[in-house]
Amino acid sequence: MIDANPTAAKKLLEIYDTTLRDGTQGEQVAFTVSEKLRVLEILDRLGIQFVEGGWPGANPRDSEFFQQARKITLQQARLCAFGSTAHPGSKPGQDANLCALLAAETEWVTIFGKSWTLHVESALGITREENLRLIESSVGFLHRSGRKVIFDAEHFFDGYRADPEYARQVLRAAESGGAVRLVLCDTNGGSMPDWLGGVVRQVRNQLPGIELGIHTHDDCGLGAANALEAVQAGALQVQGTFNGWGERCGNANLCTLLPLLELKLGYLTIGTQALRELTPTARQIAELAGLALNPRLPFVGQTAFAHKGGIHVSAVRKMPASYEHMPPEAVGNVRRILVSDLAGRSNIQEKARELGWRNGLSAEAAAQVTQTIKDWENQGYELEGADGTLALLIEEAIGGTALPFQPLGFEVTSTLEQSKPQSHAQVRVEVHGREYRGEGTDSGPVAALDAALRQALTVHYPQLAEVELADYKVRILEGSRGTRARVRVRVESNIGRQSWITVGVSENILEASWKALIASFACHLRPAARESRIASGKN
Amino acid sequence: MIDANPTAAKKLLEIYDTTLRDGTQGEQVAFTVSEKLRVLEILDRLGIQFVEGGWPGANPRDSEFFQQARKITLQQARLCAFGSTAHPGSKPGQDANLCALLAAETEWVTIFGKSWTLHVESALGITREENLRLIESSVGFLHRSGRKVIFDAEHFFDGYRADPEYARQVLRAAESGGAVRLVLCDTNGGSMPDWLGGVVRQVRNQLPGIELGIHTHDDCGLGAANALEAVQAGALQVQGTFNGWGERCGNANLCTLLPLLELKLGYLTIGTQALRELTPTARQIAELAGLALNPRLPFVGQTAFAHKGGIHVSAVRKMPASYEHMPPEAVGNVRRILVSDLAGRSNIQEKARELGWRNGLSAEAAAQVTQTIKDWENQGYELEGADGTLALLIEEAIGGTALPFQPLGFEVTSTLEQSKPQSHAQVRVEVHGREYRGEGTDSGPVAALDAALRQALTVHYPQLAEVELADYKVRILEGSRGTRARVRVRVESNIGRQSWITVGVSENILEASWKALIASFACHLRPAARESRIASGKN
C-alpha cells in the first residue's frame, strides 16, 4: 500500500497540531513554558504546518509562552494563538480574551464559537441571532487587526444534527467576518463516520469558496476514521494532537493520521522523509510531558510492530509483509520479537540471533531457555524487552556458567527524622572465593543499595564504574494485596549509547532492585552479553 | 443518539470474543488456566455469544483449560476451540492439531486457513489447489465429527487485494467442507474502511447462502471503524477482544464495538441492560490479566467521561449532554471532574461538592486549595483521582486544622541473608501531645512500615484497624535519574465498599509510602473526609 510516487502529484493537506492546547486538556497532560517551546520547535522541525500554542486569554502560562515564542524563528510551522469569541457582554475591541489574542502577536489566530443551539441558548444564554453577530464581530475584529483567522465551529456536528440550517448560518457568519478556514468540530466525539462524511460533503457543496478543516475526538474510537471521512469529503485541514492526548478519550491522533493520509491514501502532509521521524518525535514529546506512551498506539507504539505468536514470528522472519501492513522504518519504528512462554522455541532462536548468537542455539539450549522463561514468568518476571536478563539466561543455558560473582546479602536502613530521609546500605558479595563488602549512603534506599554494590564490586571489576543507571521502574504485580504485593523492578543501564535492561522480582522492593542491579552488572561483565548489546542496540 | 426502542425490532449480531486466544498474543497479556476459566464465566454472564478459549493443539495450557471448562455450565456463551487447517503433510484424521481440537470436546470449533496466495506459496509452501483441498478436507473432517465449524479466512483482505478470485475460492472451499460461518480477517490491520466495506459487500452478494463474520485489527487505529463498515455491509458476526488486546496494536476492541453497535447503530448485541456492566467487566478482566487498563479507552477507560477544561466542567455540571455524547451510566462508567492547576476554581468548587462540601467553598478557601494543588503538582504530586488527599487539603483550607496526629519519624531495616528477605520497622507518632511508638515486621519494607504505623496509631484510634489497603502503586517520576528518581506512591484504602486514594512523593520510596499511609489514616479519622467518601463512592 506504500505509495512510492513523487510528491508532485499529491494533494496537499494542512496539518494543524493542538497538542499544546487541546492536548493539555487530557488527564495528566501538562507542560511548563519551556517544555511548550521545545514541543513547538520539534513540531516545526517535523514540518507540521500549524501549531496551536495555547489560550493566552485563559491562562497566564500561555501568555508567557507566546511572549517567549517570538524569539524562535520557525522554519515551517505557523504558530496560532487560540481563544473564544468575545464575551457576550463586551465589545470585541474591549474584550479581554480577544485582546490577549492580539497581544500574543501571532499572524494566525484561531477562535471557537458555538454552533449548537443547545449551547447557544443554555450555556451562553443568548439568542441565536446574538450568537451569529458575536461570531461575525469577533472574527471581524481580529481580521481587521491584521490576523488570519481560523474559525473552529465547536459542536458543529451536534449542531448540524439539531438544526442544520443554523449550523450553516454559523459558518457563514464566520466567513463574512473574514475567517479563512472553517473547522468543523466533533467536540463530543459521538458522530459516526459515514454520517459525518455526508455532512462535510453537504457543507462543502453549500460553501464552495472557503477551506474546511476537521477536528475530531476519540470518544467512540473513531477519531481517525472520522477525520479520514472528512478529508475524503473535501476537508483540507486536519486537526489533531500528538499521541492522541486531549479531553476525555483524547483528540484524533496525528501519529495515526499522518501515516494513513500520506502512506495509505496518497495525500501530501509532511512528506515521506519526515514521516521516518514520526516515532522518535512522538516519544520525545511524551518524554517532555513526562508520560509513558501507550505501547499499543498504531505506528509509533512500542508494540506496533511487535510479534509474539510463534507462527507470526517465523513468517515475519522470512517475509516481513506476511504480518506487517507496512515496514516499521516508514514511520521510524522498529520490528520487535517478543519472548514469552506462549511463543515457543522459534522465537527464542530468533531472539538469540538478535542478541548476538548468530548461529542460534542448540535444541537443548533452546529448550532449557524456554523452560526457564516459563518458570520465571510464572514468578512474575516479564522478559519481553528485558534483553539483558534474557542474554544472561541464554548464556547460562549455553555455557552452564553461573554469575561472575556471588551475591551474598544486604542490609539497608532508612530513617526519617525531622522530615529528612536518610538511607544506609551494606552489601556482601563473593568474587573468586573471596568476600567483598561495600557501603553506600543516599536519601533513598535503592540508590544507597546501588552505591554499596558498586563499591563492593569495583574492587575486582573497576570497569563497572562506567555503568550508568539510566532508568529505574517499579511495577506492582498484584494490586489486590496492598503493601504486601510482589513488585517487579526494571533497570535500564547504559555505557555511552549502549543500553541493556534487566529485571528483578520479589515481595521486597529492595530485594527486587538488588536482583535487577546484580543482573545489570553481571550482564556488563560477560563477553557474550556485551556483544549482544552491540547487536541489539537500544532495542 | 441513544436508541430507547424495545429490542424486538433490532437486528441481532453475533459477538465473538477472542480475548483468551488472540488477546493473549498481545504484549504482556497472559492468563493462567484458572484465570481463563474465570474470564469465560464473566463473558458468559455478560451475554457474549461466542468465546474462543484457546488453541489446544499449540499449547498444553489450553488443552488443560478445555478439559476444566467442561465442568462449567454456560448460560449464554458457546465455547469455541481454535486451531488451524491440518498440516499439509498429514491426513485430517491423523493430524495432531485437528485431533486436539476434537479432544477439546466443544460443540463449536474455529479453524483458520490461508486465503492470501503469498502465504499459501511462501509460508505453507504448497500449491493454491492443495491449499483449497486442505481447507475443504480439514473443515469437512471436523464437520463430519459432529462439530459446528467457523472458518477464519486469515489475511482475507490482503488476499482479496492480491487475487480476489482465489480469495473467494477459499471461502467456497470452506463452505463446501461444511463451515457454518465464514469470517473475513484483516489479519495485518492495514485495510481502509471504505475499501474493506466494499469487499464485504461484494462477498455478501457472491455468497448469499452463508453467514459472514468480520475480524479486524487496530494497526491503523481503524479496527472499530472497519468492523462497523463490515457490519453495515452485511457481516453478522463481529470478532474482537476485551480491552483491545492482541498481536501488535491489538484486535478490534469489543468494549468499543458493543456500545457503538447497540447504542449508536441500533443493533442488538448483548442488550442495553448488560451494557451497563461493560466498564466493570472490562476492569475485572484487566485485573485478572494483571494489566492496567489504558485510561483513555473509549467508553470504559477511566478518563472516558473525565472533564478537565474549565469551560467543559461548568457546562457539564449544568447539562451533561453539553460535553458528553452519551451518559456514562449506559456503559457502567462514571463522570469524573479532574482537578489540576490548569482548571481553575470552578473545578475546585465542583470537586468540593462532589467530595461532600455541598455548599461549596468560600472564595478564599478555593483560592488556597488551588494554590496548594499548584505547589504540590510542581513537586510531582498527581491529585487527579487522589480524592483522599484532596479532601484533606480542602479540610485544611477550610478549618486550618493540622493532621489529627503528628508523624515524627521512622526507621526501617531490610536485610537479605541466605536469600531470605526480612524487614523491620519502628515508627513514632504524636497524638494529643503524647508520643506513641509502633513496630512491624514483614518480608517487604513497606508492609513492615504499614504494620508499625497501625500499631502506633491504634492505641489511640482503634477504628484504624478496620482500614484495609486495597492497592499500592509506585510511579517513578523522572526516568532519567536512575535509582535516585523521585517516586510517587499511591495507596487505595477501603472499609467494606467505601474506598479512598491518597498519594505521597519523595526521593525515598519509604518516605513516599509513609506520606501516603499517613494521609490514608488521617483521611479516615476526619469526619468531613469520611463524609466525602460516602458522597463520592468508589470513584
Side-chain angles (χ1 to χ4, degrees):
Chain A
M1 290 294 283
I2 303 275
D3 186 340
N5 286 341
T7 53
K10 292 179 173 180
K11 180 174 173 185
L12 178 69
L13 297 178
E14 287 177 358
I15 303 298
Y16 183 108
D17 178 276
T18 175
T19 307
L20 296 176
R21 203 273 308 169
D22 222 358
T24 64
Q25 294 196 193
E27 184 164 24
Q28 304 201 359
V29 183
F31 294 104
T32 62
V33 170
S34 66
E35 287 161 352
K36 282 193 145 194
L37 293 166
R38 191 80 196 84
V39 171
L40 171 61
E41 288 174 321
I42 290 168
L43 295 175
D44 178 50
R45 203 179 52 221
L46 191 68
I48 301 292
Q49 293 97 326
F50 291 89
V51 176
E52 190 170 274
W55 188 340
N59 197 321
R61 176 157 48 172
D62 284 359
S63 302
E64 163 85 7
F65 162 79
F66 283 103
Q67 209 171 348
Q68 296 206 26
R70 276 174 232 152
K71 296 172 206 152
I72 297 177
T73 309
L74 298 174
Q75 300 301 324
Q76 310 188 72
R78 297 132 178 160
L79 179 62
C80 303
F82 177 88
S84 73
T85 49
H87 190 274
S90 41
K91 292 193 169 164
Q94 284 138 28
D95 183 73
N97 173 54
L98 294 184
C99 292
L101 277 175
L102 292 185
E105 293 187 17
T106 53
E107 185 188 356
W108 289 78
V109 158
T110 304
I111 60 168
F112 77 94
K114 302 284 186 191
S115 41
W116 186 6
T117 48
L118 177 90
H119 269 259
V120 174
E121 287 159 2
S122 309
L124 284 187
I126 57 177
T127 68
R128 298 175 179 206
E129 292 66 34
E130 283 166 338
N131 181 52
L132 295 177
R133 281 196 296 274
L134 191 64
I135 290 168
E136 187 175 345
S137 64
S138 299
V139 173
F141 169 73
L142 293 168
H143 175 58
R144 285 190 305 277
S145 307
R147 300 300 187 266
K148 290 182 176 153
V149 184
I150 297 174
F151 179 73
D152 276 5
E154 198 200 21
H155 287 115
F156 180 78
F157 295 96
D158 293 304
Y160 199 92
R161 205 177 284 117
D163 188 339
E165 178 49 30
Y166 186 73
R168 276 190 296 268
Q169 286 172 11
V170 164
L171 297 181
R172 288 206 189 91
E175 190 184 16
S176 85
V180 290
R181 302 282 187 283
L182 302 178
V183 181
L184 313 181
C185 302
D186 189 33
T187 308
N188 292 5
S191 298
M192 295 297 101
D194 49 353
W195 180 82
L196 178 142
V199 172
V200 175
R201 215 162 272 118
Q202 287 169 36
V203 172
R204 171 75 293 165
N205 294 334
Q206 289 152 357
L207 291 105
I210 192 160
E211 290 202 0
L212 297 180
I214 182 73
H215 173 113
T216 59
H217 278 262
D218 214 26
D219 296 78
C220 290
L222 298 169
N226 278 336
L228 292 189
E229 280 281 353
V231 166
Q232 290 173 306
L236 275 180
Q237 182 179 100
V238 180
Q239 296 197 348
T241 62
F242 259 71
N243 307 326
W245 294 328
E247 194 80 42
R248 306 182 311 275
C249 302
N251 289 54
N253 190 345
L254 288 181
C255 301
T256 304
L257 281 170
L258 288 168
L260 290 180
L261 292 167
E262 185 108 19
L263 302 176
K264 294 278 183 178
L265 299 174
Y267 293 95
L268 175 59
T269 59
I270 57 171
T272 54
Q273 203 51 43
L275 265 184
R276 293 175 172 265
E277 298 301 319
L278 189 67
T279 302
T281 304
R283 292 182 185 170
Q284 215 180 343
I285 291 174
E287 205 153 296
L288 279 167
L291 293 177
L293 207 58
N294 172 7
R296 296 188 172 86
L297 280 187
F299 303 103
V300 299
Q302 229 190 326
T303 74
F305 299 91
H307 304 279
K308 180 164 161 187
I311 289 179
H312 288 217
V313 170
S314 57
V316 154
R317 191 168 135 67
K318 291 187 221 161
M319 194 172 47
S322 61
Y323 288 96
E324 282 174 1
H325 68 105
M326 68 166 58
E329 309 81 62
V331 290
N333 208 336
V334 290
R335 179 173 308 126
R336 288 169 61 234
I337 303 297
L338 304 180
V339 166
S340 87
D341 69 333
L342 245 195
R345 298 185 197 165
S346 73
N347 292 34
I348 301 291
Q349 288 290 9
E350 176 59 18
K351 193 73 197 178
R353 281 189 204 95
E354 191 187 313
L355 285 176
W357 284 273
R358 296 207 169 75
N359 300 321
L361 307 179
S362 70
E364 300 78 49
Q368 193 192 319
V369 173
T370 310
Q371 186 54 45
T372 310
I373 287 172
K374 206 174 241 176
D375 296 345
W376 284 38
E377 293 202 339
N378 266 338
Q379 288 172 51
Y381 277 80
E382 179 61 74
L383 297 173
E384 287 170 11
D387 284 358
T389 296
L390 204 60
L392 288 175
L393 270 187
I394 292 176
E395 190 134 346
E396 204 167 318
I398 292 176
T401 54
L403 291 172
F405 56 86
Q406 213 41 46
L408 298 175
F410 64 74
E411 177 171 323
V412 183
T413 301
S414 278
T415 54
L416 182 77
E417 292 297 336
Q418 267 110 41
S419 306
K420 202 177 149 2
Q422 188 67 32
S423 300
H424 183 75
Q426 295 173 285
V427 308
R428 295 186 301 117
V429 296
E430 190 183 296
V431 188
H432 299 319
R434 203 182 135 188
E435 188 175 317
Y436 294 86
R437 284 166 185 261
E439 300 199 21
T441 297
D442 207 297
S443 72
V446 181
L449 189 63
D450 176 31
L453 187 55
R454 276 163 197 269
Q455 196 188 65
L457 288 172
T458 42
V459 181
H460 204 89
Y461 300 111
Q463 65 267 47
L464 293 179
E466 314 161 69
V467 176
E468 280 181 15
L469 295 179
D471 194 16
Y472 170 85
K473 285 206 172 66
V474 181
R475 164 109 194 259
I476 306 297
L477 293 174
E478 300 111 328
S480 52
R481 299 173 60 217
T483 51
R484 269 208 190 133
R486 287 169 75 78
V487 296
R488 176 169 64 227
V489 165
R490 182 185 149 103
V491 163
E492 185 176 336
S493 311
N494 65 25
I495 295 181
R497 298 185 57 189
Q498 288 175 15
S499 78
W500 61 101
I501 289 169
T502 52
V503 281
V505 170
S506 167
E507 264 194 20
N508 179 311
I509 190 171
L510 297 175
E511 191 192 16
S513 306
W514 167 255
K515 287 177 175 176
L517 290 170
I518 282 169
S520 167
F521 294 137
C523 194
H524 181 55
L525 295 176
R526 306 189 132 207
R530 262 211 303 285
E531 180 192 359
S532 80
R533 293 202 312 275
I534 297 157
S536 69
K538 249 200 101 103
N539 191 22
Chain B
M1 289 294 282
I2 302 273
D3 186 340
N5 286 342
T7 53
K10 292 179 174 182
K11 180 173 173 187
L12 179 68
L13 297 178
E14 288 176 359
I15 303 298
Y16 184 107
D17 177 276
T18 177
T19 308
L20 296 176
R21 205 271 309 168
D22 223 359
T24 63
Q25 295 197 191
E27 184 163 26
Q28 303 203 1
V29 182
F31 294 104
T32 63
V33 170
S34 66
E35 287 162 352
K36 281 193 146 197
L37 293 165
R38 192 78 198 87
V39 171
L40 171 61
E41 288 174 321
I42 290 168
L43 295 175
D44 178 51
R45 203 179 54 221
L46 190 69
I48 300 293
Q49 293 98 324
F50 291 89
V51 177
E52 189 170 275
W55 188 342
N59 196 320
R61 177 157 49 171
D62 285 358
S63 302
E64 163 85 10
F65 162 80
F66 282 103
Q67 209 172 350
Q68 296 205 26
R70 276 173 231 153
K71 297 172 204 151
I72 298 177
T73 310
L74 298 174
Q75 302 299 323
Q76 310 188 73
R78 296 135 178 158
L79 179 61
C80 302
F82 177 89
S84 73
T85 50
H87 189 274
S90 39
K91 292 193 170 165
Q94 284 139 29
D95 183 73
N97 172 55
L98 293 183
C99 292
L101 278 174
L102 292 184
E105 293 186 19
T106 54
E107 186 189 356
W108 290 79
V109 158
T110 303
I111 59 168
F112 77 94
K114 300 285 187 192
S115 41
W116 186 6
T117 47
L118 177 90
H119 269 259
V120 174
E121 288 159 1
S122 309
L124 283 186
I126 57 178
T127 68
R128 299 173 177 207
E129 292 66 36
E130 283 168 339
N131 181 53
L132 295 176
R133 282 197 295 275
L134 190 65
I135 290 169
E136 185 173 347
S137 64
S138 298
V139 173
F141 168 73
L142 294 168
H143 175 58
R144 286 190 305 277
S145 307
R147 301 298 187 269
K148 290 181 177 153
V149 184
I150 297 175
F151 179 73
D152 276 4
E154 197 200 22
H155 286 115
F156 180 77
F157 295 96
D158 293 302
Y160 199 92
R161 205 177 284 115
D163 187 340
E165 177 49 32
Y166 186 73
R168 277 190 296 268
Q169 286 172 11
V170 163
L171 297 181
R172 287 204 190 92
E175 188 183 17
S176 87
V180 290
R181 301 282 186 283
L182 302 178
V183 181
L184 312 181
C185 302
D186 189 32
T187 308
N188 292 5
S191 298
M192 296 296 101
D194 50 352
W195 180 83
L196 179 142
V199 172
V200 175
R201 215 161 273 118
Q202 288 169 34
V203 172
R204 172 75 292 162
N205 294 334
Q206 289 153 355
L207 289 106
I210 192 161
E211 290 201 2
L212 297 180
I214 181 72
H215 174 112
T216 58
H217 279 261
D218 215 25
D219 297 76
C220 291
L222 299 169
N226 278 335
L228 294 188
E229 279 281 353
V231 166
Q232 290 173 305
L236 276 179
Q237 182 180 98
V238 180
Q239 298 197 346
T241 62
F242 260 70
N243 307 326
W245 295 327
E247 193 81 41
R248 305 182 311 273
C249 301
N251 289 55
N253 190 345
L254 288 180
C255 300
T256 304
L257 281 169
L258 289 167
L260 289 180
L261 292 167
E262 186 108 18
L263 302 176
K264 293 279 182 177
L265 299 174
Y267 293 96
L268 176 59
T269 59
I270 59 172
T272 54
Q273 203 51 43
L275 265 186
R276 293 175 170 267
E277 298 301 320
L278 189 66
T279 301
T281 304
R283 293 181 185 171
Q284 216 179 343
I285 291 174
E287 205 154 296
L288 281 167
L291 293 178
L293 207 57
N294 172 7
R296 297 187 171 86
L297 279 187
F299 302 104
V300 299
Q302 230 190 326
T303 74
F305 300 90
H307 304 279
K308 181 164 161 188
I311 290 180
H312 289 216
V313 169
S314 57
V316 154
R317 191 170 135 65
K318 292 188 219 160
M319 192 173 48
S322 62
Y323 288 97
E324 282 174 0
H325 68 106
M326 68 164 58
E329 311 80 62
V331 290
N333 208 337
V334 290
R335 179 172 311 125
R336 290 167 60 232
I337 303 297
L338 304 181
V339 167
S340 87
D341 67 335
L342 244 195
R345 297 184 199 166
S346 74
N347 291 35
I348 302 290
Q349 288 291 9
E350 176 58 16
K351 192 74 199 181
R353 283 189 203 95
E354 190 187 313
L355 285 176
W357 285 271
R358 295 208 170 74
N359 300 322
L361 306 179
S362 70
E364 300 78 47
Q368 192 190 321
V369 172
T370 310
Q371 186 55 45
T372 309
I373 287 172
K374 209 174 242 178
D375 296 344
W376 285 37
E377 293 202 339
N378 266 339
Q379 288 173 49
Y381 277 80
E382 180 59 75
L383 297 172
E384 289 171 11
D387 284 357
T389 296
L390 204 60
L392 289 175
L393 270 188
I394 293 176
E395 189 132 345
E396 206 167 316
I398 292 176
T401 53
L403 290 172
F405 55 87
Q406 212 43 44
L408 298 176
F410 64 73
E411 176 171 323
V412 183
T413 301
S414 277
T415 54
L416 181 79
E417 291 296 335
Q418 268 112 39
S419 308
K420 204 178 150 357
Q422 188 68 33
S423 300
H424 183 74
Q426 293 172 287
V427 308
R428 295 185 301 117
V429 296
E430 190 184 296
V431 188
H432 299 318
R434 201 181 136 189
E435 186 175 320
Y436 294 86
R437 286 167 183 261
E439 301 199 22
T441 297
D442 208 295
S443 71
V446 181
L449 188 64
D450 175 33
L453 187 57
R454 277 164 196 269
Q455 196 190 65
L457 287 172
T458 44
V459 182
H460 204 90
Y461 301 111
Q463 66 267 45
L464 292 180
E466 312 162 70
V467 177
E468 279 181 17
L469 294 180
D471 195 15
Y472 171 85
K473 284 205 173 66
V474 180
R475 165 114 190 257
I476 305 297
L477 293 174
E478 299 111 325
S480 52
R481 298 173 60 216
T483 51
R484 269 207 191 132
R486 288 170 75 78
V487 296
R488 176 168 66 225
V489 165
R490 182 188 149 102
V491 163
E492 184 176 335
S493 310
N494 65 25
I495 295 181
R497 296 186 59 189
Q498 288 175 14
S499 78
W500 61 101
I501 288 170
T502 52
V503 280
V505 171
S506 166
E507 264 193 19
N508 179 313
I509 189 172
L510 297 175
E511 191 191 16
S513 306
W514 168 255
K515 287 177 175 175
L517 289 169
I518 283 170
S520 167
F521 294 137
C523 192
H524 182 56
L525 294 176
R526 305 191 133 205
R530 261 211 304 287
E531 181 192 356
S532 80
R533 291 201 314 274
I534 297 157
S536 69
K538 244 196 107 100
N539 193 16

